[in-house]
Amino acid sequence: MLGRPVSYRTRSSRPESLGKNSLHMIAKICLTIFVIGALVVTIIAATYEPDDPLFQSPTKITTFLTSISNSTFQSNNTVIRTGEDLMPANQTALATFGSGTDAAETKETNSYETSSSECEVDPKEPLDCKDPEVFQLMMQKAIERFKDIHFNRFGKPTPGPEGNTCDMAWRFRPKQGKATGFNKDYRRFVINRDNCTLSVVSIGEYHSGVNARKKKKKNTNKIPGYEPASGLQDQGGFSLPAAGEMVNDSLPVVESERAFIRRKYLIYVGGADRCKSMKHYLWSFLCALGEARYLKRTLVMDMTLCLSSVYTSSNQDEEGKDFRFYFDFEHLKQAASVLDQDQFWQLWDKWQRKDKLSLYVVEDFRVSPKKLTEVKHSLIMRKFGFVEPDNYWYRVCEGETGSVVQRPWDLIRKSRRLMDLVAAIGSKLNWDYDSVHIVRGEKARHRDLWPNLAQDTSPDALLSTLQNKIKDGRDVYIATNEPETSFFEPLKHKYATHFLNDYKELWDQSSEWYSDTAKLNNGAPVEFDDYMRASVDAELFLRGKKQIETFNDLTNDCKDGVNTCNTAAI
């Protein structure tokens, strides 16, 4: 039979061959596209000329140096007394810039020379403090001068009182030490202009550059709205002011009747927490604050404290101490919904009948906050009786409630006025000092519980112990409850010793602290009491480069008395 069978196919046209041929064809096309793309990228890379950052304008360089990156939070659980001690250390790009590496690479340390076309100005004209070259020079000199601090942020320079002076502010933190949180300083720079050369003649003392101090914001006196607990953290939006900035801790007020009646309130009344130690007060107050947050209610708080006799010079309990003397109320009112009870009761009496505001009274601390979530009344009042310790506020947060109501320690921080004293003293010591905490007082006299403390903290014993821990000639800040600092006179032969009382001018009648606290106290002067002293002492101790503790380093006695060392460590 002539010809080929109808079913015959050439080898290349068979179905199994068609698939292979198609794959080969697609692979060749893809390879061709890849080669062409690689060629294009290579040509672009060879011909592209990016701008050299070294030849950017001073304005762009300034913008780069003063920009701030996202924060990196690292926990520091060293101190747990107040909220700022619990705050994570806030690291920024500029803090790294100010750490010393960049400053060490800077060649021109004393002056900044401008081009001839830029410096053709009348030497009698006032210095332009906003000039980027002036800003660069001031930042550079600040970094060189203050080697023991991390710079967080520089503010824009402002003109000083003289034509050759500029004021500049910055936020900073000591490089070493356990304390977290930032401080703010503003100083006056005297700048010499010789033809085309600028040089810094001098830098003023701590807080000398008053023109660079942040202006106090206009107070709207409106009580903030309540935000859920998740929105009350620092990353939630409100600012973290540094010690040294203007303080606006005026009492929040309700702007209208409508604003008052639409809000729900919680108040704690009575109890035996008053005139107790400050630790007891905070433990109870934070329970109330935590329940208010849990119930999404405004806490009606008493702005006055009774200071325990252990902190007063009169050795008597003293009423009428303002909350703002000791704690940062500006932060509290920004972060939580609180209202002064004096104002609250005035408005309650004014509008309670008219608007039919209702009251719900709870007289048993064992009533769980969970049971109060469904209460619709305008005001929930927890009343506490006369039998201690069942009438302590903190009893509300005990037991199962402790897992529901969390004490918001992040809302409580030390008074920024006290923290400013810490920054002032630290700056006078150039943040280059070691610190020793020496506990004496009542404990040193109570030999049954602390048999070795008096001897171990005597001058001779201190000299023997410290000689292997602190170098001779170092500045040493001594935080102590020993009233007679002359007791430590022998230490002055080996160290440059410093005590809190060496800086009395910071709170005397001519000081800013004195005038500010008097304003809060209706014009009456405020005593710098022992609790304030202990707070400042503790903060300065934590900022020392080396920290020597009494019960960890100076004596083998237990902090809480005989046979308590193991339990204290748990």
Side-chain angles (χ1 to χ4, degrees), residues 274-328:
R274 209 158 182 85
C275 302
K276 295 293 192 297
S277 70
M278 198 65 82
K279 287 183 179 179
H280 182 121
Y281 167 78
L282 283 179
W283 194 242
S284 291
F285 175 71
L286 283 167
C287 176
L289 201 58
E291 184 178 28
R293 171 188 275 187
Y294 175 77
L295 296 175
K296 295 181 172 57
R297 288 176 173 262
T298 296
L299 179 66
V300 181
M301 61 176 288
D302 188 352
M303 289 296 297
T304 63
L305 312 179
C306 174
L307 189 66
S308 171
S309 59
V310 299
Y311 308 119
T312 63
S313 58
S314 65
N315 296 321
Q316 301 291 325
D317 295 338
E318 295 182 2
E319 285 279 3
K321 299 292 184 178
D322 198 298
F323 180 91
R324 295 168 289 185
F325 294 166
Y326 310 99
F327 306 107
D328 186 353

Side-chain angles (χ1 to χ4, degrees), residues 333-546:
K333 71 178 182 179
Q334 289 176 346
S337 185
V338 294
L339 187 62
D340 172 40
Q341 72 170 13
D342 290 340
Q343 180 191 176
F344 171 80
W345 287 124
Q346 291 176 7
L347 299 179
W348 180 268
D349 292 340
K350 182 178 180 180
W351 292 321
Q352 187 264 331
R353 290 186 179 180
K354 175 184 175 183
D355 296 305
K356 298 180 181 179
L357 303 178
S358 54
L359 169 65
Y360 187 87
V361 179
V362 180
E363 295 185 309
D364 190 341
F365 70 84
R366 289 168 293 189
V367 176
S368 170
K370 285 184 176 181
K371 296 181 179 180
L372 301 179
T373 54
E374 303 300 324
V375 175
K376 304 299 182 183
H377 294 63
S378 303
L379 173 64
I380 294 178
M381 176 188 290
R382 279 195 181 270
K383 292 184 68 175
F384 297 84
F386 302 97
V387 180
E388 298 186 51
D390 285 347
N391 60 352
Y392 291 158
W393 291 5
Y394 67 73
R395 299 299 301 274
V396 174
C397 297
E398 290 182 336
E400 295 181 359
T401 303
S403 61
V404 176
V405 174
Q406 302 296 323
R407 286 179 172 84
W409 285 98
D410 58 297
L411 302 184
I412 297 296
R413 298 179 183 168
K414 296 179 182 69
S415 163
R416 279 167 51 200
R417 294 182 177 89
L418 293 179
M419 296 300 291
D420 196 25
L421 299 183
V422 174
I425 296 172
S427 294
K428 289 178 180 291
L429 294 172
N430 293 318
W431 302 104
D432 183 18
Y433 66 92
D434 299 320
S435 55
V436 183
H437 182 210
I438 302 176
V439 176
R440 288 184 58 83
E442 183 64 30
K443 289 187 177 181
R445 294 188 290 270
H446 204 318
R447 295 183 180 273
D448 290 341
L449 292 178
W450 296 277
N452 304 300
L453 181 60
Q455 176 60 35
D456 290 342
T457 56
S458 66
D460 292 340
L462 290 172
L463 283 171
S464 176
T465 304
L466 296 179
Q467 66 179 354
N468 297 323
K469 299 178 181 293
I470 300 177
K471 293 181 180 179
D472 291 2
R474 285 283 294 163
D475 284 296
V476 177
Y477 183 84
I478 298 179
T480 181
N481 61 347
E482 175 61 48
E484 296 297 332
T485 56
S486 59
F487 177 82
F488 303 103
E489 190 72 22
L491 274 67
K492 292 185 177 181
H493 300 298
K494 195 170 185 178
Y495 306 108
T497 57
H498 305 271
F499 301 88
L500 184 59
N501 278 346
D502 295 342
Y503 306 95
K504 287 182 178 179
E505 72 277 3
L506 295 176
W507 60 84
D508 65 14
Q509 294 184 8
S510 61
S511 68
E512 184 177 1
W513 180 89
Y514 184 91
S515 59
D516 283 353
T517 53
K519 289 177 183 177
L520 296 178
N521 203 34
N522 297 320
V526 176
E527 178 191 9
F528 191 68
D529 58 56
D530 284 351
Y531 185 78
M532 297 175 184
R533 290 175 179 274
S535 295
V536 175
D537 251 355
E539 292 296 328
L540 284 166
F541 171 79
L542 291 173
R543 284 160 173 77
K545 288 187 173 180
K546 286 186 179 179

Side-chain angles (χ1 to χ4, degrees), residues 84 90 152-153 169-173 180-186 206-207 213-214 239-248 328 330-331 334 413-421 423 543:
E84 76 274 3
N90 199 8
N152 168 254
R153 182 188 305 168
W170 57 77
R171 286 162 60 100
F172 71 93
R173 177 172 53 242
T180 62
F182 289 112
N183 301 288
K184 184 175 182 179
D185 197 358
Y186 34 90
Y206 178 76
H207 279 192
R213 188 176 188 181
K214 186 177 179 181
S239 61
L240 298 174
E245 292 184 352
M246 296 292 290
V247 181
N248 179 11
D328 186 353
E330 180 176 5
H331 170 66
Q334 289 176 346
R413 298 179 183 168
K414 296 179 182 69
S415 163
R416 279 167 51 200
R417 294 182 177 89
L418 293 179
M419 296 300 291
D420 196 25
L421 299 183
R543 284 160 173 77

Side-chain angles (χ1 to χ4, degrees), residues 5 8 41 97 111 134 205 256 289 306 334 385 426 441 466 471 536:
Y8 178 82
V41 171
F97 162 74
S111 63
V134 176
E205 295 298 323
S256 65
L289 201 58
C306 174
Q334 289 176 346
L466 296 179
K471 293 181 180 179
V536 175

Side-chain angles (χ1 to χ4, degrees), residues 196-213:
C196 296
T197 303
L198 297 175
S199 60
V200 173
V201 177
S202 64
I203 302 178
E205 295 298 323
Y206 178 76
H207 279 192
S208 57
V210 293
N211 290 350
R213 188 176 188 181

